[in-house]
Amino acid sequence: MKLITVANRLPVTFRDNAIIRSDGGLVSALEGVRRDNELIWVGWPGGDVPQEGRDAMIKTLREDLGCEPVFLSAEEREGYYDGFSNASLWPILHYMPDYMEYKDEWFDAYWQVNRKFADTVLRVAQDGDIVWVQDYHLFLLPEMLAEANPTLRIGFFLHTPFPSYELFRCQPRRQELLRGVLGAQLVGFHTFGYLRHFRSSLQRILNVDSNLNQVLWGDHRARLGVFPIGIDSHGFGKLVKSDEVARFRTEIDAQYADHRMVLSVERLDYSKGIPKKLQAIERFLELYPELVDSINFVLIAVPSREEVDTYRDLKESVAQSVGHINGRFATVRNIPVNFINRSVPFAELVALYSRADMALVTPLVDGMNLVAKEYLACRENGDGVLLLSEFAGAAQELFSAVLVNPYDIDGVSRAIADGLQMHIDEQRERVLPMRQRILEYNADRWTEDFLAHLDASSDDQQATAGYQSARRDVLAALQPPGTSLHLFLDYDGTLREFERNPLDAVPTAEMRDLFRQLDACADCHVFIVSGRSQSFLDAHFGDYRFGLVAEHGYWVRLPGADWTLLKNDADLSWKAQIMPIFQFHALSTPGSSVEEKRSALVWHYRKADPEFGAWKANHLIGELTESISNLPVEIHHGKCIVEVNSQHISKGIAVERAMKQVPPGGVAVCIGDDQTDESMLQLRFDNFFPIKVGEGATAATYRIPSPKKVRAFLSDLIAAAKAP
Ligand code: GDG
């Protein structure tokens, strides 16, 4: 297997004219994959690399480090990275629309750079390779790759939160972004909440069909999954025992002897909630003056995105607040806030984790937060206190942390005080199970889990090759030439894609051409078996030599004949009882409507809010089930419809009758997508091929992924039937 992982940055840094591999959870997790497989990193190497030094650098990156660089000009970086990624997308992904800025030229640069990444990946990828795209900088990449090479197995992982639809819809390029991600076969998130929000944005912005596990987008299926990222916890465990860390630890112990240490580590980013944290620290110092001389808040705030205005402003205001607090509370014996605005060496960070009495991790919103996990990984004795924001993804996993609301300044300051007094037994009771969790679900497991799911998703795509088997088997049955072909075809969702307004779902020019070919094919006999009304079928199919079945089998019109009732004696008196229930639901669900047919009542909710519509549909079904238990009716929950019709009528009964006209040796193909089609898809005769369109449980033997593929399939059958 070859794995190509694509991220904004390559895992390298330049120091003293040398390229040095930088470590991190993702890097060590993926390096594990390299043991048995070929691994290539694609990304921006960082900084400005002069043209003359590039060839040598590319050689070293490629040969020694398995990296394929994507060089970006200063202009590209400004539009793609500082602009669209960090000033436009990052704020909206972190629920901060006021910080969001947007310029069309930023998006153009973002598109161009994603294209550049795509070109690099396509240059190194071979058919069937796995490509794992990381994070929000590359939302457009999966679609670009899938279009260029459909054999690639593409995964996408989002490291940030995915916000509620109410927020995401503020992003002017929301549609392109979602479509871009959907090129992947597996889309992963840190938490179930993010997955849910993503799905709801897809439903509302792209109007796609989806359940919680997967999304259907044309012919393509994207699985959704939850993979909370882990850290290299064993690596931390080893490092904490190393001599290098011990040396730092000795210095730190001397410096902070007899002091309690509360440690914060983060990039200087507004999502991390540093100003609120400083307010809580100030409040704490006000409330507990007796501790002022014996406590140190060590705040490591690594400079980040300093090209973006909001980050520069934040840095100034944080520095001011620190100055203000220290000015107010410092004594000759102690300066309570130790603000370090630079990156500290990794071994020093580990020494600090191992020394700190408490980790104060209080982001306003955070995809996961690795610092919380790293602190636990360095607590070999199981002591220490983790104070963790409820709004970090990590809070979904680290249940026994002291969870705080970072907006509740008094609450956080009290939690700091309580935490510092926590008994050692309680510290261990809380820390040990969390350590267990991060040791087990570490970075390696995270990678394995994602890649195994991606593998399974790729198999799914193969499974839709049920199309190929259907084609092969039906074409084989159509031998010798001249064998009669009988087609029983549902219309909506089978021949024709759904539209928001069902009246707009009329046959397109391409479909009319297909119908003309079917009509002209002497050995083809077509039945349109639909839930639609007679008038709709007359209007769109009346000119062809087709049999028509309207209202799920209530009306039948044989080719060239008039409409007749399938059953003359069907009892329809129940309609009067059910109509008021339907009407009430239509009124209380904006965008929904009732359709009355001769033999059925239908409540349509395709135009309603998708989640609200589905929720009300379940209510309606519950209510109907209670009120109609003795009536001769059936309830169907179809795609955005709830339909009640007579038990004595079904598409299956209509098809069964029509099958009596099929001559011996004739081949019948029956295709439908909906629950109401199952009555015909479950029929069995010789040379009868039942085919289900799309997902879901079915009695059919074959599956075709979409109406588009159904039309292609029918064209193939016509060609075969015409062949001499
Ligand atoms: C994004 C998401 C998600 C920090 N200071 C120093 C230093 N660090 C290292 C830490 C940790 C990493 O930086 C920070 O990771 P976080 O997860 O806390 O935050 P983001 O950078 O915002 O990461 C986040 C993550 O992606 C993974 O999916 O958890 O939610 O926002 O590893 O150790 N390292 C060194 N010196 C420092 O001063 N050497």
Side-chain angles (χ1 to χ4, degrees):
M1 160 183 108
K2 182 159 86 198
L3 170 66
I4 301 166
T5 182
V6 197
N8 168 55
R9 282 283 273 116
L10 285 177
V12 295
T13 25
F14 299 102
R15 205 175 300 140
D16 306 330
N17 269 338
I19 303 171
I20 300 161
R21 186 149 208 135
S22 44
D23 289 325
L26 189 59
V27 181
S28 61
L30 286 166
E31 286 309 306
V33 174
R34 205 193 280 281
R35 280 191 291 273
D36 306 312
N37 307 282
E38 191 183 347
L39 170 70
I40 298 178
W41 284 85
V42 172
W44 173 44
D48 274 317
V49 183
Q51 198 66 42
E52 64 272 17
R54 278 196 191 172
D55 287 347
M57 176 178 173
I58 293 174
K59 194 163 179 291
T60 315
L61 283 173
R62 201 175 275 160
E63 292 173 9
D64 300 350
L65 300 161
C67 291
E68 207 55 48
V70 179
F71 294 104
L72 300 180
S73 67
E75 208 184 358
E76 280 171 331
R77 271 167 8 222
E78 195 188 320
Y80 145 80
Y81 185 72
D82 300 326
F84 194 73
S85 296
N86 289 333
S88 200
L89 271 178
W90 178 270
I92 210 75
L93 293 169
H94 289 85
Y95 289 81
M96 307 207 175
D98 286 356
Y99 289 151
M100 183 181 79
E101 290 170 50
Y102 172 75
K103 291 184 188 158
D104 275 345
E105 61 261 36
W106 286 354
F107 183 75
D108 293 345
Y110 183 82
W111 190 93
Q112 294 289 353
V113 170
N114 271 250
R115 186 77 260 166
K116 227 171 174 180
F117 273 80
D119 292 343
T120 309
V121 172
L122 293 166
R123 198 159 32 76
V124 294
Q126 278 148 349
D127 286 359
D129 281 349
I130 295 181
V131 183
W132 188 0
V133 180
Q134 312 283 340
D135 229 358
Y136 65 101
H137 313 91
L138 300 171
F139 268 136
L140 305 178
L141 184 57
E143 186 188 26
M144 290 176 174
L145 293 173
E147 272 176 5
N149 185 348
T151 71
L152 294 175
R153 293 178 284 162
I154 305 165
F156 178 87
F157 188 83
L158 183 66
H159 290 261
T160 67
F162 195 93
S164 135
Y165 157 72
E166 303 296 346
L167 264 286
F168 192 70
R169 67 173 166 170
C170 304
Q171 165 49 243
R173 308 315 284 253
R174 60 207 178 179
Q175 287 188 330
E176 287 99 320
L177 294 165
L178 292 177
R179 273 205 296 269
V181 177
L182 282 191
Q185 285 147 27
L186 176 64
V187 183
F189 303 89
H190 285 309
T191 74
F192 180 66
Y194 309 157
L195 181 156
R196 218 164 27 83
H197 290 318
F198 178 71
R199 179 178 166 256
S200 130
S201 280
L202 289 177
Q203 283 182 317
R204 291 173 160 84
I205 295 170
L206 294 186
N207 203 13
V208 297
D209 245 1
S210 92
N211 58 34
L212 279 179
N213 295 323
Q214 63 185 351
V215 181
L216 297 170
W217 176 238
D219 289 351
H220 179 80
R221 179 197 334 223
R223 292 241 169 219
L224 307 178
V226 176
F227 309 94
I229 197 167
I231 58 165
D232 176 16
S233 30
H234 296 288
F236 275 94
K238 257 196 232 156
L239 194 60
V240 84
K241 294 194 194 83
S242 69
D243 293 343
E244 198 189 359
V245 168
R247 278 195 295 277
F248 278 115
R249 182 64 199 264
T250 313
E251 265 180 47
I252 293 168
D253 284 348
Q255 178 71 30
Y256 294 97
D258 304 325
H259 278 215
R260 311 301 302 280
M261 183 201 286
V262 179
L263 176 67
S264 283
V265 181
E266 52 241 329
R267 279 183 307 102
L268 211 155
D269 191 301
Y270 45 82
S271 65
K272 305 289 180 185
I274 302 172
K276 288 260 176 296
K277 175 157 35 199
L278 286 167
Q279 285 177 32
I281 291 174
E282 184 169 8
R283 187 86 186 111
F284 172 88
L285 294 169
E286 268 167 21
L287 290 175
Y288 306 96
E290 69 281 9
L291 297 178
V292 165
D293 275 345
S294 60
I295 190 156
N296 285 103
F297 290 92
V298 177
L299 248 71
I300 299 175
V302 183
S304 180
R305 304 177 191 169
E306 292 188 316
E307 308 305 316
V308 180
D309 292 346
T310 35
Y311 286 75
R312 276 198 301 265
D313 298 347
L314 176 69
K315 181 175 166 175
E316 262 177 41
S317 91
V318 166
Q320 264 179 17
S321 301
V322 170
H324 162 78
I325 298 172
N326 280 338
R328 189 170 164 205
F329 293 100
T331 64
V332 284
R333 290 169 299 279
N334 192 30
I335 299 173
V337 182
N338 193 349
F339 177 53
I340 302 173
N341 184 210
R342 59 182 168 74
S343 176
V344 301
F346 192 52
E348 186 174 358
L349 182 65
V350 170
L352 284 164
Y353 282 145
S354 75
R355 164 62 180 83
D357 300 285
M358 173 182 288
L360 186 54
V361 183
T362 54
L364 302 180
V365 56
D366 210 339
M368 170 55 70
N369 194 292
L370 298 180
V371 167
K373 295 188 173 183
E374 292 169 2
Y375 175 67
L376 294 167
C378 296
R379 308 306 301 180
E380 285 189 291
N381 301 326
D383 60 353
V385 177
L386 173 63
L387 221 86
L388 178 62
S389 161
E390 291 167 29
F391 308 135
Q396 305 285 317
E397 273 179 282
L398 305 177
F399 296 117
S400 46
V402 176
L403 294 180
V404 292
N405 174 351
Y407 291 91
D408 176 4
I409 306 299
D410 286 348
V412 174
S413 59
R414 275 196 308 273
I416 297 173
D418 293 348
L420 287 172
Q421 287 179 13
M422 190 184 285
H423 191 274
I424 182 75
D425 292 346
E426 183 180 346
Q427 292 180 25
R428 291 212 171 100
E429 263 168 43
R430 286 171 176 267
V431 166
L432 288 174
M434 295 194 284
R435 267 177 68 81
Q436 190 65 24
R437 158 86 200 165
I438 60 163
L439 284 170
E440 276 169 11
Y441 199 88
N442 60 14
D444 281 347
R445 281 288 287 279
W446 176 75
T447 311
E448 280 164 26
D449 201 13
F450 186 91
L451 293 177
H453 276 78
L454 179 56
D455 222 29
S457 314
S458 313
D459 288 349
D460 286 351
Q461 304 283 318
Q462 309 303 323
T464 54
Y467 172 77
Q468 295 300 349
S469 353
R471 189 172 174 279
R472 186 194 56 223
D473 293 356
V474 176
L475 291 181
L478 279 173
Q479 294 303 322
T483 304
S484 70
L485 171 64
H486 303 259
L487 296 167
F488 299 98
L489 308 171
D490 167 50
Y491 177 68
D492 292 282
T494 297
L495 285 170
R496 172 65 161 97
E497 288 81 359
F498 290 104
E499 295 288 343
R500 251 174 106 71
N501 181 353
L503 289 178
D504 294 339
V506 295
T508 59
E510 172 224 329
M511 291 169 65
R512 290 198 301 273
D513 187 46
L514 175 72
F515 298 153
R516 273 192 293 273
Q517 292 184 48
L518 283 167
D519 201 32
C521 166
D523 293 319
C524 301
H525 307 273
V526 179
F527 259 91
I528 302 294
V529 189
S530 172
R532 294 265 188 171
S533 64
Q534 292 161 285
S535 58
F536 182 91
L537 296 186
D538 272 337
H540 297 291
F541 298 95
D543 293 343
Y544 310 115
R545 201 175 40 83
F546 292 175
L548 303 177
V549 174
E551 297 193 17
H552 296 111
Y554 187 68
W555 294 103
V556 180
R557 205 193 87 169
L558 296 175
D562 282 336
W563 287 101
T564 53
L565 290 172
L566 184 73
K567 278 198 180 247
N568 290 319
D569 52 353
D571 171 12
L572 299 176
S573 59
W574 48 266
K575 278 171 66 182
Q577 202 174 326
I578 290 179
M579 190 55 150
I581 304 179
F582 269 47
Q583 280 169 338
F584 176 75
H585 263 73
L587 269 181
S588 61
T589 315
S592 75
S593 58
V594 179
E595 182 190 1
E596 181 173 5
K597 297 180 182 175
R598 275 289 297 268
S599 65
L601 289 176
V602 192
W603 181 66
H604 291 268
Y605 62 94
R606 187 165 292 276
K607 282 194 276 177
D609 175 285
E611 278 169 292
F612 184 53
W615 185 68
K616 288 295 291 263
N618 287 333
H619 273 267
L620 174 60
I621 290 168
E623 196 174 334
L624 289 172
T625 316
E626 275 181 25
S627 55
I628 60 171
S629 51
N630 297 321
L631 298 178
V633 295
E634 279 178 348
I635 307 170
H636 300 288
H637 189 179
K639 294 195 176 134
C640 295
I641 58 155
V642 174
E643 172 151 0
V644 178
N645 56 14
S646 164
Q647 249 172 18
H648 304 124
I649 287 159
S650 74
K651 290 185 173 186
I653 299 173
V655 171
E656 204 169 1
R657 278 222 196 144
M659 279 299 293
K660 296 202 173 107
Q661 309 304 319
V662 174
V667 170
V669 176
C670 177
I671 316 181
D673 70 307
D674 207 333
Q675 199 209 341
T676 58
D677 298 318
E678 285 301 310
S679 61
M680 57 179 189
L681 296 176
Q682 72 191 8
L683 297 174
R684 293 296 178 265
F685 301 96
D686 285 346
N687 277 339
F688 181 82
F689 296 87
I691 303 175
K692 160 96 175 168
V693 183
E695 286 302 302
T698 182
T701 324
Y702 300 91
R703 226 182 255 280
I704 290 186
S706 63
K708 190 170 158 207
K709 277 268 159 61
V710 171
R711 297 193 294 268
F713 176 70
L714 293 174
S715 294
D716 285 354
L717 297 193
I718 297 169
K722 274 202 225 151

